[in-house]
């Protein structure tokens, strides 16, 4: 095939002129990644798994700020019995170190479902799905500050420079949809990025194709500049030309994988121009579905989170591997910005507002996945960066507690109606089957068909992994 050099030069100039908008802007953005392969090294094919896969997708319900476990999934009768008394033990230093006395939970404790799992009624609608939940009540974290805690919960390390779990999952499992990223972070108008910033969704040393892509579904364009700036046939010619030039360049430089990832990002961005508007158009969803999730709620925070939950289901339907949701901020009791669950005062008011936002939509998501036969292959993970103290901060708040808190999993081959591990009688510190973030991600990877010790990436002379040199699968909660 002959090439018209003046035409090539003109096309290249036109393509480069458009790098501030349209597909090329998406391709150059570090937040856009392709869904057609696990990484550049896999050559466009899904990787070979280590064992039978139980879950195909993960929905990460991240409760930034720190949900109080003693007011939700790990209630303690001793707090009510000894309310107002000093804690009968030496206390660790807390974030603000303004510790008060034992504070009873303002929510009622009940046994839920056929399994009789004990929870409060703060998440009353989620609790109705108790027989689908596996609660781990012995979770621990190494850090009690928000940014460090967010990095640690996402990557296993408390600072920049390490890939998010979503990036590792995309690297290890690939994606089943070539038109969308493998790792999508959902946001809405009132939802701020958790403390630590967008790097908590980053790929670090993994290929750029694995990084989290942020979709703000409150905007007309969930992804900026998604509307084409040139005709599709012209885009195709430009992409082919730039791809040819970049592949030639890649063969001459040491950072070949980075260049190949850029090519793949551009291709996915091109395909996203049709896939994203179709994804975010929920006009075909029934009114009953909208009502069930709460999309039409007069509570704007709930309506936004409900739309995220519905979008998570739609992303799973389209084969996206890892989806993370973001809570909306309200500013009650210190819970503003990127840490809306952070109630150092007015715990009852703040946690009530947050539970109202997420409880119904998450319960609807579980029910919807179940009704559609998708829950068995979709793993839901609910956690914050730490829990909250059983004693008060001031008169009616709780400080951060990384020494023992709760997370739960549902679907994806998890044994519902179960509780694993335990904290002490006050809910202060984990005592039995003490668990870590490494165990959490080892378990998630296991359900995805990945041995966490074998999912490694050679970087700077070391074979690095999501679970570092730690981690045990929670076999006790698996079906």
């Amino acid at each position: 095939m002959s090439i018209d050099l003046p035409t090539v030069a003109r096309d290249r100039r036109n393509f480069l002129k458009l790098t501030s908008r349209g597909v090329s802007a998406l391709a150059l953005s570090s937040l856009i990644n392709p869904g057609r392969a696990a990484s550049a090294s896999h050559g466009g094919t899904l990787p070979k798994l280590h064992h039978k896969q139980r879950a195909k997708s993960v929905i990460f319900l991240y409760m930034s700020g720190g949900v109080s476990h003693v007011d939700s999934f790990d209630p303690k009768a001793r707090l009510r019995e000894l309310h107002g008394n000093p804690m009968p033990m030496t206390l660790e230093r807390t974030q603000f170190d303004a510790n008060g006395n034992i504070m009873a939970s303002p929510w009622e404790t009940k046994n839920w479902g056929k399994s009789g799992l004990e929870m409060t009624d703060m998440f009353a609608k989620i609790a109705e799905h108790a027989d689908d939940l596996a609660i781990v009540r012995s979770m621990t974290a190494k850090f009690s500050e928000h940014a460090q805690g967010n990095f640690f919960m996402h990557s296993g390390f408390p600072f920049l420079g390490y890939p998010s779990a979503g990036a590792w999952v995309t690297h290890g499992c690939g994606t089943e949809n070539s038109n969308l990223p493998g790792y999508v972070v959902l946001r809405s108008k009132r939802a701020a990025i958790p403390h630590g910033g967008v790097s908590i969704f980053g790929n670090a040393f993994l290929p750029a194709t694995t990084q989290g892509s942020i979709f703000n579904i409150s905007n007309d364009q969930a992804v900026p500049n998604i509307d084409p700036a040139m005709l599709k046939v012209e885009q195709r010619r430009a992409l082919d030309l730039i791809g040819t030039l970049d592949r030639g360049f890649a063969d001459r430089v040491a950072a070949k994988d980075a260049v190949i990832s850029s090519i793949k990002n551009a291709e996915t961005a091109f395909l996203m121009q049709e896939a994203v508007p179709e994804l975010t158009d929920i006009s075909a969803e029934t009114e009953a579905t909208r009502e069930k999730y709460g999309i039409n709620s007069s509570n704007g925070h709930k309506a936004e989170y409900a739309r995220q939950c519905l979008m998570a289901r739609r992303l799973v339907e389209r084969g996206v591997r890892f989806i993370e949701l973001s809570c909306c901020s309200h500013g009650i009791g210190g819970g503003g910005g990127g840490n809306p669950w952070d109630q150092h005062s007015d715990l009852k008011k703040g946690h009530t507002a947050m539970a109202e936002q997420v409880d119904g939509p998450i319960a609807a998501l579980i029910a919807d996945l179940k009704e559609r036969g998708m829950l068995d292959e979709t793993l839901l993970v609910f956690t914050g960066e730490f829990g909250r103290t059983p004693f008060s901060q001031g008169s009616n708040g709780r400080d951060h507690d990384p020494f023992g808190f709760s997370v739960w999993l549902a679907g994806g081959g998890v044994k519902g109606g179960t509780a694993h591990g335990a904290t002490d009688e006050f809910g202060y510190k984990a005592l039995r089957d003490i668990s870590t973030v490494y165990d959490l991600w080892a378990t998630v990877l296991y359900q995805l068909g990945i041995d966490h010790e074998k999912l490694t990436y050679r970087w700077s002379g070391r074979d690095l992994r999501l679970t570092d040199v730690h981690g045990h699968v929670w076999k006790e909660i698996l079906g």
Side-chain angles (χ1 to χ4, degrees):
M1 180 181 70
S2 63
I3 299 177
D4 183 346
L5 291 179
T7 300
V8 168
R10 185 173 65 251
D11 285 347
R12 181 175 177 82
R13 284 195 300 272
N14 289 338
F15 184 82
L16 293 175
K17 285 179 184 178
L18 293 165
T19 55
S20 64
R21 63 189 195 277
V23 61
S24 53
L26 291 174
L28 293 173
S29 169
S30 64
L31 290 178
I32 300 300
N33 58 65
R36 61 174 45 192
S39 72
S41 63
H42 288 122
T45 60
L46 293 176
K48 184 178 180 180
L49 302 177
H50 300 134
H51 52 261
K52 183 180 178 181
Q53 186 180 63
R54 294 295 304 273
K56 291 185 177 180
S57 296
V58 177
I59 299 177
F60 191 29
L61 305 164
Y62 195 60
M63 303 292 123
S64 180
V67 180
S68 175
H69 56 294
V70 294
D71 293 297
S72 56
F73 302 106
D74 189 17
K76 299 293 183 179
R78 290 288 280 169
L79 300 187
R80 193 171 298 279
E81 294 169 8
L82 298 177
H83 176 72
N85 291 307
M87 285 284 286
M89 62 183 73
T90 301
L91 301 182
E92 306 286 348
R93 182 176 177 84
T94 56
Q95 186 70 13
F96 291 94
D97 216 30
N99 303 331
N101 293 327
I102 294 169
M103 187 169 85
S105 175
W107 286 273
E108 294 297 321
T109 299
K110 298 182 182 180
N111 296 101
W112 299 83
K114 294 180 181 178
S115 58
L117 272 183
E118 190 176 48
M119 292 177 272
T120 73
D121 57 3
M122 185 171 78
F123 294 108
K125 289 183 170 60
I126 293 175
E128 291 174 358
H129 295 276
D131 295 333
D132 295 311
L133 308 183
I135 303 173
V136 177
R137 291 176 170 151
S138 54
M139 193 66 174
T140 59
K142 295 182 179 180
F143 307 94
S144 62
E145 186 272 331
H146 292 293
Q148 288 181 310
N150 289 330
F151 275 115
F152 186 60
M153 187 58 69
H154 279 78
S155 70
F157 293 88
F159 37 68
L160 290 164
Y162 291 88
S164 178
W168 276 110
V169 166
T170 305
H171 175 63
C173 298
T175 182
E176 295 182 331
N177 190 324
S178 63
N179 302 331
L180 290 166
Y183 174 18
V184 172
V185 179
L186 295 174
R187 288 194 59 211
S188 47
K189 182 169 60 178
R190 297 175 177 87
I193 298 293
H195 288 194
V198 295
S199 294
I200 65 174
F201 315 129
N203 62 295
F205 47 77
L206 291 181
T209 54
T210 64
Q211 185 167 351
S213 295
I214 298 176
F215 287 14
N216 189 333
I217 58 174
S218 290
N219 294 341
D220 292 336
Q221 294 182 335
V223 177
N225 307 307
I226 196 68
D227 287 342
M230 55 200 296
L231 294 176
K232 188 172 183 178
V233 64
E234 294 175 344
Q235 289 183 359
R236 184 68 268 165
R237 290 173 61 198
L239 279 173
D240 289 344
L241 171 64
I242 298 300
T244 298
L245 295 172
D246 281 349
R247 278 186 286 272
F249 175 68
D251 290 336
R252 304 193 300 273
V253 298
K256 181 175 181 177
D257 283 353
V259 179
I260 297 300
S261 291
S262 178
I263 296 170
K264 292 189 173 188
N265 281 342
E267 291 291 341
T268 301
F270 174 67
L271 297 170
M272 285 170 62
Q273 292 175 124
E274 292 185 3
V276 171
E278 184 277 331
L279 165 74
T280 56
D281 179 6
I282 63 170
S283 59
E285 298 286 348
T286 66
E287 188 60 32
T289 296
R290 294 163 180 262
E291 190 65 28
K292 178 168 58 177
Y293 276 90
I295 287 173
N296 301 325
S297 174
S298 59
N299 180 333
H301 295 82
K302 178 180 179 179
E304 287 186 22
Y305 196 81
R307 186 175 287 265
Q308 287 190 47
C309 286
L310 175 59
M311 205 59 58
R313 189 214 80 203
R314 291 171 65 86
L315 284 164
V316 169
E317 286 179 315
R318 287 156 179 76
V320 173
R321 191 67 69 187
F322 195 101
I323 304 109
E324 179 166 349
L325 280 63
S326 309
C327 291
C328 300
S329 300
H330 56 73
I332 299 172
N339 52 330
W341 282 96
D342 193 33
Q343 273 74 64
H344 291 275
S345 62
D346 289 331
L347 177 95
K348 177 67 164 66
K349 185 177 180 181
H351 268 37
T352 295
M354 290 306 302
E356 170 64 19
Q357 175 188 147
V358 307
D359 185 28
I362 291 175
L365 175 61
I366 295 172
D368 201 9
L369 290 170
K370 202 169 187 178
E371 289 168 7
R372 293 169 186 266
M374 298 167 58
L375 186 60
D376 288 344
E377 294 185 341
T378 306
L379 182 61
L380 280 68
V381 179
F382 179 108
T383 186
E385 63 269 46
F386 36 63
R388 308 203 78 83
T389 58
F391 46 88
S392 68
Q393 177 184 348
S395 61
N396 57 5
R398 297 192 193 274
D399 209 331
H400 308 168
D401 183 357
F403 307 110
F405 58 103
S406 297
V407 308
W408 60 255
L409 293 80
V414 166
K415 190 189 304 178
T418 59
H420 175 66
T423 53
D424 59 39
E425 61 181 339
F426 299 98
Y428 183 36
K429 293 184 177 182
L431 284 184
R432 189 177 74 245
D433 297 320
I434 297 174
S435 301
T436 68
V437 65
Y438 312 112
D439 302 331
L440 169 64
W441 293 124
T443 304
V444 170
L445 291 173
Y446 184 84
Q447 294 305 89
L448 290 165
I450 297 289
D451 183 334
H452 72 104
E453 294 184 348
K454 295 179 181 178
L455 181 63
T456 62
Y457 193 89
R458 191 76 175 177
W459 177 256
S460 194
R462 285 186 59 200
D463 289 328
L464 299 176
R465 69 187 210 217
L466 172 57
T467 53
D468 195 23
V469 294
H470 313 285
H472 298 90
V473 176
W474 289 324
K475 295 286 184 71
E476 296 84 356
I477 68 169
L478 302 182

